[in-house]
Amino acid sequence: MTDPVAAPDLPAAAEVIDLADRVVGKAVRRLAQLEGGPDAHQVLAYDVAHAASAVATAKSLIDYGNKGEVEAKITCAYAADMAHDVASKILGREADWGVDRDAMSLAHPFIAQYRAPEFLASLADSPGPSHLSDDMTMVADTFDAFAQNVIAPHAEHVHRTNADVPEEIITGMAELGAFGLSVPAEYGGYSEGGDEEYIAMVAATEALSKASLGIGGSLITRPEILTRALVKGGTEEQKQKWLPLLATAEVMPAVAVTEPDYGSDVAGITVMATPAPGPNGEDGWVINGVKTWCTFGARADALTLLARTDPDRTKTHRGLSLFIVPKPRGDAHGFDLRQEIDGTPTNGRMEGRPIDTIGYRGMHSYEISLEDWWVPAENQVGGAEGLGKGFYYQMAGFENGRLQTAARAVGVMQAAYEQALDYAENRKVFGTSILEYQLTRAKLGRIAVLTQAGRQFSLAVATLMAKGAGQMEASMVKAYVCKAAEWVTREAMQIHGGMGYAEEYPVSRLFVDARVLSIFEGADETLCLKVIARQLISAANAD
């Protein structure tokens, strides 16, 4: 006989979330007081950043919990999971956090009740609805149908053979309007502002990523980054020229920011752009240096490239400008391009060396060296007003990219949940479906809870960003959900047993794909130490 499952208690969940929020607030103030701050106390800063992100995720579930019985159970289960995580981080480090040993003791009964195995097990096959609006449900359903019918049949082949993204996927996504979701309507896109402006992108990205991270949801990211940069800082002429081309996928860009010695430390990059006339004497720049981890660099028609335009390196990020760098398409397995401008050869050369990866295949990543590659002056984003502001334009794109990466993670998590649930229903051990085992059900229950929590937080951040806010929350949702995706895909793989380690089931692809989520679009450690922790301290000081 099983123990009775507790009824959800949303007022108690709200109290526990508030308690955790106060505890994290104390830790933030403690970190602010310590000499050297996050740079000198990195372990504390990292833990506090992740704890704050988990609390923010829990806060986003309160409204969701009021929409039904299953939603309330998911909210309580997540609140208990979050409180347990915060308490675990504090244990033995109370002095570092600036809290008492019993700081989370009032939450213990709640944690015990809603982390109970039988409570989690009751959610194994109850993942809860998304509660999108009718319009956004239509967006999600449309992209899900395309993803399952067009992308999914290619996903395993591309992953196993390290093949290229099939052109029919790019064409089909363009026809659906995937690349114009953030392009303002007046420039040929589908964005008309409003609270749901970013939600369409999140819903579409999740649906595409559920079919494939590498050849689905991630295809939107690079056009999104350039679109946001142009909307923020581009001249009217640049918007008129490039945004319609991005919306229709006539131009598919790659992002060239990272360098061999400068990853998340973007302000230190060394690739130089130097004023130089073009073949017909027109104003322009020549670009020299090496970029790395340039995903989609061969297939791309242009690079969104951040370069140093001021040789005074003491100006750090204030000496950077953003360029749209046209290029021919190259061979996916390595390319060596010689530049021609209107049929006239220049001295420009661009060479791409592929970087093989364990997952996230299809678009391919490259180390790209540029030698005297000429770019017209009109392709420097923002024109004269944009000189030295490239870092800020790029960050505008990256903030959106972080939210979109969270949506990609949710798509991968949803796929892992569905595959694990299906396998558990059909796999019998000792004559019994493994779905009937408490351990399997408890794992599936937690997977369902973390996936829905990640989805609701992503939607909440999308709403904030549509209002011009949510910059810190975009980093938080990326940090939290991407790390959760690693656990979710690992446990989904574990539920498959030995078959999870075989290439006969796609769950192994989800496992290796999930691993990249905490690395790209801002490495987890850098995001926590340099962005979230610092912004938490700034917010605390402002109070």
Side-chain angles (χ1 to χ4, degrees):
M1 183 176 179
T2 59
D3 294 331
V5 175
D9 186 342
L10 289 178
E15 290 179 6
V16 166
I17 294 168
D18 184 62
L19 172 64
D21 193 29
R22 294 198 305 272
V23 168
V24 171
K26 289 182 180 179
V28 171
R29 290 189 290 275
R30 167 71 172 160
L31 182 61
Q33 294 167 358
L34 292 172
E35 185 176 354
D39 290 337
H41 303 274
Q42 294 182 352
V43 172
L44 175 61
Y46 180 80
D47 282 349
V48 168
H50 264 291
S53 300
V55 170
T57 305
K59 287 181 178 180
S60 74
L61 280 173
I62 293 295
D63 287 343
Y64 179 78
N66 284 309
K67 294 176 179 177
E69 180 76 8
V70 171
E71 294 90 332
K73 290 177 69 175
I74 288 172
T75 300
C76 288
Y78 182 79
D81 194 274
M82 174 277 297
H84 176 265
D85 180 56
V86 172
S88 298
K89 285 179 167 61
I90 293 171
L91 185 62
R93 293 177 174 170
E94 293 88 354
D96 291 344
W97 280 61
V99 299
D100 297 331
R101 184 174 296 180
D102 61 352
M104 291 294 294
S105 62
L106 292 176
H108 290 179
F110 183 89
I111 294 171
Q113 191 167 32
Y114 296 108
R115 282 192 80 244
E118 59 272 13
F119 189 81
L120 284 173
S122 73
L123 291 166
D125 46 10
S126 300
S130 298
H131 286 298
L132 293 169
S133 69
D134 290 344
D135 286 346
M136 292 302 103
T137 296
M138 184 172 66
V139 170
D141 290 346
T142 299
F143 279 94
D144 185 62
F146 174 83
Q148 297 308 312
N149 292 330
V150 181
I151 296 175
H154 294 285
E156 284 303 296
H157 171 74
V158 170
H159 174 68
R160 305 299 173 198
T161 63
N162 198 25
D164 306 336
V165 179
E167 286 297 321
E168 69 174 290
I169 292 177
I170 298 173
T171 302
M173 287 175 60
E175 291 173 351
L176 281 180
F179 305 112
L181 289 172
S182 296
V183 174
E186 61 265 35
Y187 300 108
Y190 300 95
S191 174
E192 297 182 349
D195 289 349
E196 293 191 323
E197 177 186 0
Y198 285 75
I199 289 179
M201 179 271 293
V202 168
T205 299
E206 179 189 333
L208 295 168
S209 300
K210 191 176 82 168
S212 170
L213 180 68
I215 63 172
S218 295
L219 279 172
I220 302 179
T221 307
R222 272 133 285 278
E224 279 276 336
I225 289 172
L226 179 52
T227 293
R228 294 293 176 183
L230 283 168
V231 169
K232 181 175 179 64
T235 65
E236 183 59 30
E237 292 77 10
Q238 289 168 343
K239 293 175 184 177
Q240 292 283 356
K241 176 179 180 179
W242 293 103
L243 290 176
L245 296 175
L246 293 171
T248 58
E250 291 179 67
V251 169
M252 287 291 287
V255 176
V257 173
T258 302
E259 297 182 6
D261 294 324
Y262 297 95
S264 297
D265 183 15
V266 174
I269 66 173
T270 60
V271 167
M272 285 293 303
T274 306
N280 298 313
E282 60 270 56
D283 291 340
W285 304 78
V286 289
I287 299 176
N288 287 277
V290 179
K291 294 291 185 178
T292 193
W293 293 111
C294 183
T295 301
F296 209 51
R299 167 60 178 80
D301 304 297
L303 304 179
T304 306
L305 186 142
L306 192 63
R308 188 165 296 284
T309 48
D310 191 323
D312 182 357
R313 292 181 56 81
T314 64
K315 292 186 177 179
T316 61
H317 65 277
R318 294 181 298 277
L320 306 177
S321 301
L322 191 64
F323 293 87
I324 301 172
V325 182
K327 58 172 284 297
R329 296 176 186 177
D331 187 282
H333 299 287
F335 57 89
D336 189 350
L337 307 173
R338 307 303 168 100
Q339 188 177 36
E340 290 186 1
I341 303 294
D342 297 328
T344 303
T346 72
N347 293 324
R349 180 179 181 182
M350 182 185 298
E351 186 175 2
R353 178 184 67 82
I355 304 170
D356 291 333
T357 56
I358 62 172
Y360 189 49
R361 293 173 174 168
M363 293 191 294
H364 312 294
S365 293
Y366 302 86
E367 181 175 274
I368 295 181
S369 64
L370 299 101
E371 181 180 334
D372 291 337
W373 195 270
W374 187 80
V375 181
E378 65 190 33
N379 285 20
Q380 181 253 310
V381 176
E385 291 296 316
L387 272 176
K389 297 179 182 177
F391 175 84
Y392 302 103
Y393 302 156
Q394 189 70 58
M395 288 304 106
F398 278 176
E399 285 169 2
N400 188 64
R402 287 166 185 164
L403 171 60
Q404 193 187 34
T405 300
R408 287 188 276 178
V410 173
V412 173
M413 293 161 78
Q414 183 65 32
Y417 169 73
E418 292 179 9
Q419 291 176 26
L421 179 62
D422 180 71
Y423 188 86
E425 286 175 334
N426 293 288
R427 171 64 171 164
K428 287 183 168 35
V429 175
F430 303 117
T432 303
S433 166
I434 64 171
L435 184 58
E436 300 306 313
Y437 288 100
Q438 184 196 58
L439 181 57
T440 303
R441 292 191 65 83
K443 285 183 176 184
L444 284 167
R446 186 169 189 251
I447 289 172
V449 167
L450 296 186
T451 302
Q452 190 61 254
R455 177 180 296 113
Q456 295 304 317
F457 191 23
S458 297
L459 296 172
V461 174
T463 302
L464 284 174
M465 292 186 72
K467 297 175 180 177
Q471 284 72 29
M472 179 172 69
E473 289 81 1
S475 297
M476 284 179 156
V477 72
K478 197 273 183 186
Y480 180 78
V481 179
C482 292
K483 197 168 183 180
E486 293 181 37
W487 183 88
V488 163
T489 53
R490 183 215 182 268
E491 292 303 324
M493 189 177 182
Q494 188 71 23
I495 287 170
H496 282 71
M499 298 311 296
Y501 198 64
E503 294 193 341
E504 294 181 38
Y505 286 83
V507 71
S508 60
R509 167 173 55 87
L510 302 178
F511 177 68
V512 293
D513 279 357
R515 189 61 197 88
V516 77
L517 292 166
S518 289
I519 297 173
F520 64 13
E521 306 295 343
D524 185 47
E525 294 79 6
T526 302
L527 205 58
C528 287
L529 299 180
K530 300 293 186 181
V531 181
I532 299 173
R534 291 183 177 183
Q535 289 179 338
L536 287 169
I537 289 172
S538 295
N541 289 337
D543 292 342

Coordinates of all heavy atoms in Angstrom, one line a residue, residues 177-221:
G177 N 8.5 31.7 -41.6 CA 8.8 33.0 -41.0 C 9.6 32.9 -39.8 O 9.7 33.8 -39.0
A178 N 10.3 31.8 -39.6 CA 11.1 31.6 -38.4 C 12.2 32.6 -38.2 O 12.5 33.0 -37.1 CB 11.8 30.2 -38.4
F179 N 12.8 33.1 -39.3 CA 13.9 34.0 -39.2 C 13.4 35.5 -39.2 O 14.2 36.4 -39.0 CB 14.8 33.8 -40.4 CG 15.3 32.4 -40.6 CD1 14.9 31.6 -41.6 CD2 16.2 31.9 -39.6 CE1 15.4 30.3 -41.7 CE2 16.6 30.6 -39.7 CZ 16.2 29.8 -40.8
G180 N 12.1 35.7 -39.3 CA 11.6 37.0 -39.2 C 10.8 37.3 -37.9 O 10.1 38.3 -37.8
L181 N 10.8 36.4 -36.9 CA 10.0 36.5 -35.7 C 10.4 37.8 -35.0 O 9.5 38.4 -34.3 CB 10.2 35.3 -34.8 CG 9.6 34.0 -35.3 CD1 10.0 32.8 -34.5 CD2 8.0 34.1 -35.4
S182 N 11.7 38.2 -35.0 CA 12.1 39.4 -34.3 C 12.3 40.6 -35.2 O 12.7 41.6 -34.7 CB 13.3 39.1 -33.5 OG 13.1 38.1 -32.5
V183 N 12.1 40.4 -36.5 CA 12.3 41.5 -37.4 C 11.0 42.3 -37.4 O 9.9 41.8 -37.6 CB 12.6 41.0 -38.8 CG1 12.6 42.2 -39.8 CG2 13.9 40.2 -38.8
P184 N 11.1 43.6 -37.1 CA 9.9 44.5 -37.1 C 9.2 44.4 -38.5 O 9.8 44.2 -39.5 CB 10.5 45.9 -36.9 CG 11.8 45.7 -36.2 CD 12.3 44.4 -36.8
A185 N 7.8 44.5 -38.4 CA 7.0 44.3 -39.5 C 7.3 45.3 -40.6 O 7.2 44.9 -41.8 CB 5.5 44.4 -39.1
E186 N 7.7 46.5 -40.3 CA 8.0 47.5 -41.3 C 9.3 47.1 -42.1 O 9.5 47.8 -43.2 CB 8.2 48.9 -40.7 CG 9.3 49.0 -39.7 CD 8.8 48.8 -38.2 OE1 7.9 48.0 -38.0 OE2 9.3 49.5 -37.4
Y187 N 10.0 46.1 -41.7 CA 11.2 45.7 -42.4 C 11.0 44.3 -43.0 O 12.0 43.6 -43.2 CB 12.5 45.8 -41.5 CG 12.8 47.1 -41.0 CD1 12.5 47.5 -39.7 CD2 13.2 48.1 -41.8 CE1 12.8 48.7 -39.2 CE2 13.5 49.4 -41.4 CZ 13.3 49.7 -40.0 OH 13.6 51.0 -39.6
G188 N 9.8 43.9 -43.1 CA 9.5 42.6 -43.7 C 9.4 41.4 -42.8 O 9.4 40.2 -43.2
G189 N 9.4 41.7 -41.5 CA 9.3 40.6 -40.5 C 7.9 40.5 -39.9 O 7.0 41.0 -40.5
Y190 N 7.9 39.8 -38.8 CA 6.6 39.5 -38.1 C 6.4 40.1 -36.8 O 5.4 39.9 -36.1 CB 6.4 38.0 -38.1 CG 6.4 37.4 -39.4 CD1 7.6 36.8 -39.9 CD2 5.3 37.3 -40.2 CE1 7.6 36.2 -41.2 CE2 5.3 36.8 -41.5 CZ 6.4 36.2 -42.0 OH 6.5 35.7 -43.2
S191 N 7.4 40.9 -36.3 CA 7.4 41.5 -35.0 C 6.6 42.8 -35.0 O 6.9 43.7 -35.8 CB 8.8 41.7 -34.4 OG 8.7 42.4 -33.2
E192 N 5.5 42.9 -34.2 CA 4.7 44.1 -34.1 C 4.7 44.6 -32.7 O 3.8 45.4 -32.3 CB 3.3 43.8 -34.6 CG 3.3 43.5 -36.1 CD 1.9 43.3 -36.6 OE1 0.9 43.2 -35.8 OE2 1.7 43.2 -37.8
G193 N 5.7 44.2 -31.9 CA 5.8 44.6 -30.5 C 4.8 43.9 -29.6 O 4.2 42.8 -30.0
G194 N 4.5 44.4 -28.5 CA 3.5 43.8 -27.6 C 4.2 42.9 -26.6 O 5.4 42.5 -26.8
D195 N 3.4 42.4 -25.6 CA 4.0 41.6 -24.5 C 4.4 40.2 -25.0 O 5.2 39.5 -24.4 CB 2.9 41.4 -23.4 CG 2.7 42.7 -22.6 OD1 3.5 43.6 -22.8 OD2 1.8 42.7 -21.8
E196 N 3.8 39.8 -26.2 CA 4.2 38.4 -26.7 C 5.2 38.4 -27.8 O 5.5 37.4 -28.4 CB 2.9 37.7 -27.2 CG 1.9 37.4 -26.0 CD 0.8 36.5 -26.5 OE1 0.3 36.7 -27.6 OE2 0.3 35.7 -25.7
E197 N 5.9 39.6 -28.0 CA 6.9 39.7 -29.0 C 8.0 38.6 -28.9 O 8.3 37.9 -29.9 CB 7.5 41.1 -29.0 CG 8.6 41.2 -30.1 CD 9.3 42.5 -30.0 OE1 9.0 43.3 -29.1 OE2 10.2 42.8 -30.8
Y198 N 8.5 38.4 -27.7 CA 9.5 37.4 -27.5 C 9.0 36.0 -27.2 O 9.7 35.1 -27.4 CB 10.4 37.8 -26.2 CG 11.3 39.0 -26.5 CD1 10.9 40.3 -26.6 CD2 12.7 38.8 -26.6 CE1 11.7 41.4 -26.8 CE2 13.6 39.9 -26.8 CZ 13.1 41.2 -26.9 OH 13.9 42.2 -27.1
I199 N 7.7 35.9 -26.8 CA 7.2 34.6 -26.5 C 7.1 33.8 -27.8 O 7.3 32.5 -27.8 CB 5.8 34.7 -25.9 CG1 6.0 35.3 -24.4 CG2 5.1 33.4 -25.8 CD1 4.7 35.5 -23.7
A200 N 6.8 34.4 -28.9 CA 6.7 33.6 -30.2 C 8.1 33.0 -30.5 O 8.2 31.8 -30.9 CB 6.3 34.6 -31.3
M201 N 9.2 33.8 -30.3 CA 10.5 33.2 -30.5 C 10.8 32.1 -29.6 O 11.3 31.0 -30.0 CB 11.5 34.3 -30.3 CG 13.0 33.9 -30.5 SD 13.7 33.3 -29.0 CE 13.8 34.8 -28.0
V202 N 10.4 32.2 -28.3 CA 10.6 31.1 -27.3 C 9.8 29.9 -27.7 O 10.4 28.8 -27.7 CB 10.2 31.6 -25.9 CG1 10.2 30.5 -24.9 CG2 11.2 32.7 -25.4
A203 N 8.6 30.0 -28.0 CA 7.7 28.9 -28.4 C 8.2 28.2 -29.6 O 8.3 26.9 -29.7 CB 6.3 29.4 -28.6
A204 N 8.6 29.0 -30.6 CA 9.1 28.4 -31.9 C 10.5 27.6 -31.6 O 10.7 26.5 -32.1 CB 9.3 29.4 -32.9
T205 N 11.3 28.3 -30.8 CA 12.6 27.7 -30.6 C 12.5 26.4 -29.8 O 13.2 25.4 -30.1 CB 13.5 28.7 -29.8 OG1 13.7 29.9 -30.5 CG2 14.9 28.1 -29.4
E206 N 11.6 26.3 -28.8 CA 11.5 25.1 -28.1 C 11.0 24.0 -29.0 O 11.5 22.8 -28.9 CB 10.4 25.3 -26.9 CG 10.2 24.0 -26.1 CD 9.1 24.0 -25.1 OE1 8.8 25.1 -24.6 OE2 8.5 23.0 -24.9
A207 N 10.0 24.3 -29.8 CA 9.5 23.2 -30.7 C 10.5 22.7 -31.7 O 10.6 21.5 -31.9 CB 8.3 23.8 -31.5
L208 N 11.3 23.6 -32.2 CA 12.3 23.2 -33.2 C 13.4 22.4 -32.5 O 14.0 21.4 -33.0 CB 12.9 24.4 -33.9 CG 11.9 25.2 -34.8 CD1 12.5 26.6 -35.2 CD2 11.6 24.4 -36.0
S209 N 13.8 22.8 -31.3 CA 14.9 22.2 -30.6 C 14.5 20.8 -30.0 O 15.3 19.9 -29.8 CB 15.3 23.0 -29.4 OG 15.8 24.3 -29.8
K210 N 13.2 20.6 -29.8 CA 12.7 19.3 -29.4 C 13.0 18.2 -30.5 O 13.4 17.1 -30.2 CB 11.2 19.3 -29.1 CG 10.7 18.0 -28.4 CD 9.3 18.1 -28.1 CE 8.4 17.8 -29.3 NZ 7.0 17.6 -28.9
A211 N 13.0 18.7 -31.8 CA 13.3 17.8 -32.9 C 14.8 17.6 -33.0 O 15.4 16.5 -33.3 CB 12.7 18.3 -34.2
S212 N 15.6 18.7 -32.9 CA 17.0 18.7 -33.0 C 17.6 20.1 -32.5 O 17.1 21.1 -33.0 CB 17.5 18.4 -34.4 OG 18.9 18.6 -34.5
L213 N 18.6 20.0 -31.6 CA 19.2 21.2 -31.2 C 20.1 21.7 -32.3 O 20.1 22.9 -32.6 CB 20.1 20.9 -30.0 CG 20.9 22.1 -29.4 CD1 20.0 23.2 -28.8 CD2 21.9 21.7 -28.4
G214 N 20.8 20.8 -33.0 CA 21.8 21.3 -34.0 C 21.3 21.7 -35.3 O 21.8 22.7 -35.9
I215 N 20.2 21.1 -35.8 CA 19.6 21.5 -37.1 C 18.2 22.1 -37.0 O 17.5 22.2 -38.0 CB 19.7 20.3 -38.1 CG1 18.8 19.2 -37.6 CG2 21.1 19.9 -38.3 CD1 18.6 18.1 -38.7
G216 N 17.8 22.4 -35.8 CA 16.5 22.9 -35.5 C 16.5 24.3 -34.9 O 16.8 25.3 -35.5
G217 N 16.3 24.3 -33.6 CA 16.2 25.6 -32.8 C 17.4 26.5 -32.9 O 17.3 27.7 -32.9
S218 N 18.6 25.9 -33.1 CA 19.8 26.8 -33.1 C 20.0 27.5 -34.4 O 20.7 28.5 -34.5 CB 21.1 25.9 -32.9 OG 21.0 25.4 -31.6
L219 N 19.2 27.1 -35.5 CA 19.3 27.9 -36.7 C 18.8 29.3 -36.6 O 19.2 30.2 -37.3 CB 18.5 27.2 -37.8 CG 19.2 26.0 -38.5 CD1 18.3 25.3 -39.4 CD2 20.4 26.5 -39.3
I220 N 17.9 29.5 -35.6 CA 17.3 30.8 -35.5 C 18.3 31.8 -34.8 O 18.2 33.0 -35.0 CB 16.0 30.8 -34.7 CG1 15.0 29.9 -35.3 CG2 15.4 32.2 -34.5 CD1 13.7 29.7 -34.6
T221 N 19.2 31.2 -34.0 CA 19.9 32.1 -33.0 C 20.8 33.1 -33.7 O 20.8 34.3 -33.3 CB 20.8 31.2 -32.2 OG1 20.1 30.2 -31.6 CG2 21.5 32.0 -31.1

